[in-house]
Amino acid sequence: MSENPERSGPQTLQEPSLDEQIAAYQREFRDLDPQVEKVVSALGRLNRRMNVAYGRQLADLGISNAEWEVLKTLVLSGEPYRLGPGELAKRLGLTPAAMTHRIDRMAGEGLVTRDRDENNRVRVIVELTDEGRTKWLEAMRMATAFEEDLLQDLSTEEKGVLGDALIRLLRRVEHTQPDAGGRLTDLD
């Protein structure tokens, strides 16, 4: 009896293989295109497993995924890595209250500072600290190693084809669901 690699691993994993899942779906819903379902289900499982792996890496650094999102957003804003809480909330698809909670926690951990804008004393500015940037860089190093390992069996050409195909899928979703970039509910 050969072992199904998708079924190997921790005994607590009770998820059916993709083939078993697709067969069950086809049994219950005959209009299902098995090729489409295979792609969509594999993407969903890959996304979940990658999120778990990234979450473990972040936990090893002592930061949460929610904190990582803020660090990433500040870095993406460019030097001097500063944004107002409202802009951060908008970019992350969060409510102002959830953003305030997140910033409070991160300021307490020394990852960001929150100060009044010198030019407009009513406005608050959130800025990445050296500690926050260090955490971001270490998370990037860990993620890069994980991602290179994940894609090691693909040739350079296959990586390019896969990347292009995924971007086309992403653009299709963004076109048909333009409001799907944020959250349905706050995660904090």
Side-chain angles (χ1 to χ4, degrees), residues 29-97:
F29 183 70
R30 298 209 182 271
D31 292 340
L32 182 80
D33 181 333
Q35 288 180 312
V36 170
E37 189 59 36
K38 186 174 194 175
V39 169
V40 171
S41 293
L43 284 171
R45 287 185 186 196
L46 179 60
N47 182 53
R48 281 195 320 271
R49 285 163 176 78
M50 288 177 69
N51 283 337
V52 168
Y54 290 136
R56 287 177 178 150
Q57 290 176 340
L58 293 173
D60 288 345
L61 293 173
I63 59 175
S64 69
N65 187 54
E67 291 168 331
W68 160 253
E69 287 183 349
V70 174
L71 298 177
K72 176 179 70 173
T73 302
L74 288 169
V75 168
L76 289 174
S77 74
E79 286 193 71
Y81 313 121
R82 304 172 74 195
L83 289 171
E87 182 62 24
L88 272 169
K90 182 178 175 184
R91 290 183 186 199
L92 292 171
L94 298 172
T95 63

Side-chain angles (χ1 to χ4, degrees), residues 4-141:
N4 180 345
E6 191 177 353
R7 298 292 252 163
S8 64
Q11 294 295 348
T12 58
L13 182 64
Q14 298 297 321
E15 193 170 33
S17 72
L18 284 179
D19 289 338
E20 290 168 336
Q21 178 180 323
I22 292 166
Y25 284 178
Q26 284 183 297
R27 182 184 67 235
E28 301 297 326
F29 183 70
R30 298 209 182 271
D31 292 340
L32 182 80
D33 181 333
Q35 288 180 312
V36 170
E37 189 59 36
K38 186 174 194 175
V39 169
V40 171
S41 293
L43 284 171
R45 287 185 186 196
L46 179 60
N47 182 53
R48 281 195 320 271
R49 285 163 176 78
M50 288 177 69
N51 283 337
V52 168
Y54 290 136
R56 287 177 178 150
Q57 290 176 340
L58 293 173
D60 288 345
L61 293 173
I63 59 175
S64 69
N65 187 54
E67 291 168 331
W68 160 253
E69 287 183 349
V70 174
L71 298 177
K72 176 179 70 173
T73 302
L74 288 169
V75 168
L76 289 174
S77 74
E79 286 193 71
Y81 313 121
R82 304 172 74 195
L83 289 171
E87 182 62 24
L88 272 169
K90 182 178 175 184
R91 290 183 186 199
L92 292 171
L94 298 172
T95 63
M99 192 74 252
T100 298
H101 176 70
R102 198 174 288 187
I103 292 167
D104 288 346
R105 194 172 59 235
M106 293 179 73
E109 295 170 2
L111 301 172
V112 299
T113 59
R114 178 182 41 215
D115 294 307
R116 295 275 174 210
D117 186 339
E118 293 297 320
N119 300 321
N120 178 352
R121 301 295 295 161
V122 174
R123 186 169 184 246
V124 172
I125 296 292
V126 178
E127 185 171 350
L128 187 66
T129 63
D130 289 342
E131 174 68 16
R133 182 154 169 76
T134 298
K135 294 277 186 179
W136 178 82
L137 285 168
E138 187 56 32
M140 288 299 293
R141 284 185 195 95

